[in-house]
Amino acid sequence: MNLYDRLHDKVLTKYAKDPMTECYSPDCVFKYQEEIYDATVIIPCYNVEHYVAECLDSMLNQNTSYNVEIITIDDGSTDSTAEILRQYSTRMTNFRIISQCNKGLSGARNTGIREARGKYLIFIDSDDYVTSDYIDCLLKKAFSKDADIVATGYYTFNNDYKIIKNIMIKDENDTSLLNGCAWGKAIKRKFFEHLVFPENYWYEDSIIAHLVVPRANSIYMVSKCQYAYRSNPTGITKTSVNSLRAIESFYITDLMLRSYVHFYPEDVTNTYEFINLLIEQFYLNEKRVIKLNSEIKRTIFMWQSKYVQISPPIMDLKLDFSKKLYVIGLLKNNYQIAQISLRLDILNKIIRRIKNK
């Protein structure tokens, strides 16, 4: 079901164009059908001459007995990234470089997925790094449990290597902290047989939470904190706050809703879990545009409120107060209530930050 009328929208598209690319591929995505490696590590690279060596050093230092291939995608870099990749290719086995014209993060990942021959896919961002036992811990858990997904804890650091956030997992069944990012996980390749990252969108990782995780029958966590995520001041997370492209969070939600039919039976998408997953996404969409103008915010709220009138959510008692208030705003089609809930969330974060100092 569509979230909004993307062909006749007169408001949002005057601020930010809907890329209108797809995340469903009717044809099999894979170039190779046989899985000859235990895992494929996919590292998209674009103008990362200051960071990629650290990332590749962490791959060079992996202590594992598993048979792993590494695919790096030079996505049209104009700096010395390509030369750094060539230097590392002489130091590692099963190391491939694929060069292409710039297609963005999604296009680079899709190239890696197409070329992958591993049973599991492991995505690593080229400005991040991992501990020396990262691959071994992921795959040991994956193969011992025949898991669909294995995820690790992680920490966020800045360019001064100060740790900003440290996410630790309690035990292997603690999926409460499972995030929707592609990195920090080993995912069975089969989940991408007809799934691609939508190109030219921001927030392309959204497909993991909506079109991968719900299809997984077995998800396990690795308690050690092993993925180091760089908080990049020029990355989308930081720069999207005041950008009109934040509207793409709403666009990509509509794209995923339209794609559900290819991945799920209708009775699944009407369940409590799916409706509440959408509510979480709707809330996130509105948080991302909170600093944009009123016309944008009201339009997104209107479409999301209209959608939940058709499939009313069951109130999740685990939701915090601000999100419960947001659901009430949606159900009553009350924009002011929804905005109050978003402001409360911001206030709560400020209070938590002060307490943690």
Side-chain angles (χ1 to χ4, degrees):
M1 180 180 174
N2 292 0
L3 175 56
Y4 85 120
D5 186 351
R6 68 200 305 232
L7 297 177
H8 299 97
D9 169 52
K10 302 294 184 185
V11 178
L12 299 179
T13 51
K14 75 180 180 183
Y15 294 105
K17 183 181 177 182
D18 186 340
M20 290 193 179
T21 56
E22 298 296 332
C23 56
Y24 168 72
S25 171
D27 300 318
C28 178
V29 171
F30 309 138
K31 181 178 178 179
Y32 306 101
Q33 294 305 309
E34 189 178 5
E35 297 174 342
I36 64 173
Y37 296 101
D38 295 322
T40 299
V41 177
I42 297 172
I43 309 176
C45 303
Y46 176 70
N47 287 355
V48 282
E49 62 182 3
H50 299 299
Y51 308 118
V52 69
E54 185 173 32
C55 176
L56 295 178
D57 280 339
S58 73
M59 296 310 302
L60 189 63
N61 295 327
Q62 289 302 299
N63 182 18
T64 182
S65 59
Y66 289 99
N67 190 17
V68 176
E69 68 169 340
I70 299 169
I71 298 178
T72 58
I73 302 92
D74 175 23
D75 192 39
S77 296
T78 56
D79 62 2
S80 62
T81 295
E83 177 56 32
I84 295 170
L85 294 180
R86 281 192 289 272
Q87 291 172 8
Y88 276 86
S89 68
T90 64
R91 302 170 62 189
M92 285 189 266
T93 57
N94 300 332
F95 183 95
R96 297 174 62 195
I97 304 170
I98 299 174
S99 299
Q100 64 182 31
C101 296
N102 182 255
K103 295 183 179 180
L105 179 58
S106 288
R109 281 177 175 168
N110 290 339
T111 296
I113 293 168
R114 184 180 69 247
E115 297 285 336
R117 289 175 287 176
K119 181 173 181 176
Y120 288 91
L121 302 184
I122 298 173
F123 298 97
I124 298 179
D125 288 353
S126 53
D127 56 351
D128 300 337
Y129 63 88
V130 295
T131 54
S132 61
D133 57 351
Y134 179 73
I135 300 294
D136 206 63
C137 285
L138 276 177
L139 295 184
K140 207 171 270 184
K141 183 71 70 176
F143 282 99
S144 67
K145 300 288 187 178
D146 190 26
D148 289 332
I149 299 173
V150 176
T152 70
Y154 66 94
Y155 62 86
T156 302
F157 68 99
N158 61 20
N159 284 336
D160 295 323
Y161 292 91
K162 178 182 178 181
I163 294 178
I164 302 168
K165 180 167 51 174
N166 196 346
I167 303 298
M168 298 297 291
I169 308 300
K170 294 176 184 177
D171 57 59
E172 67 175 23
N173 298 309
D174 177 25
T175 59
S176 62
L177 295 175
L178 181 70
N179 65 32
C181 300
W183 52 261
K185 300 172 181 65
I187 304 171
K188 277 186 177 176
R189 187 181 78 140
K190 67 177 185 179
F191 287 98
F192 292 91
E193 184 176 3
H194 293 282
L195 179 66
V196 293
F197 287 93
E199 297 187 19
N200 303 318
Y201 283 91
W202 279 4
Y203 314 112
E204 66 285 321
D205 275 7
S206 302
I207 68 166
I208 300 296
H210 288 264
L211 300 176
V212 175
V213 172
R215 289 192 285 147
N217 293 318
S218 55
I219 301 174
Y220 291 91
M221 310 296 284
V222 178
S223 58
K224 279 186 68 177
C225 190
Q226 299 161 307
Y227 191 98
Y229 174 78
R230 186 184 302 271
S231 178
N232 193 331
T234 61
I236 289 174
T237 303
K238 298 291 186 182
T239 60
S240 66
V241 177
N242 296 303
S243 172
L244 289 172
R245 288 196 65 182
I247 296 171
E248 292 177 24
S249 183
F250 175 76
Y251 289 154
I252 205 168
T253 305
D254 176 64
L255 170 63
M256 293 186 298
L257 277 168
R258 289 185 290 103
S259 302
Y260 272 11
V261 66
H262 301 297
F263 298 101
Y264 305 110
E266 186 176 352
D267 60 336
V268 171
T269 56
N270 287 329
T271 61
Y272 165 88
E273 288 79 13
F274 264 85
I275 297 298
N276 281 285
L277 177 63
L278 272 182
I279 292 298
E280 293 276 0
Q281 184 65 45
F282 286 178
Y283 190 74
L284 184 57
N285 294 344
E286 300 210 40
K287 281 177 64 177
R288 284 170 171 164
V289 299
I290 196 165
K291 292 193 176 182
L292 302 186
N293 69 51
S294 179
E295 184 179 36
I296 294 171
K297 292 188 289 188
R298 285 181 178 275
T299 301
I300 290 175
F301 172 79
M302 176 197 71
W303 285 113
Q304 296 190 156
S305 178
K306 185 176 180 181
Y307 186 90
V308 300
Q309 307 304 319
I310 300 169
S311 301
I314 302 168
M315 184 68 77
D316 187 346
L317 296 177
K318 294 180 182 179
L319 291 175
D320 59 38
F321 177 74
S322 59
K323 287 181 182 176
K324 288 178 182 176
L325 190 61
Y326 175 70
V327 173
I328 292 170
L330 285 177
L331 291 172
K332 291 183 176 293
N333 192 25
N334 190 311
Y335 173 75
Q336 284 72 25
I337 291 177
Q339 286 297 298
I340 290 171
S341 74
L342 295 168
R343 302 293 175 182
L344 278 174
D345 184 70
I346 294 172
L347 181 60
N348 287 334
K349 283 187 176 179
I350 293 172
I351 292 171
R352 285 196 298 269
R353 198 175 297 134
I354 293 171
K355 284 183 176 179
N356 291 332
K357 281 187 177 180

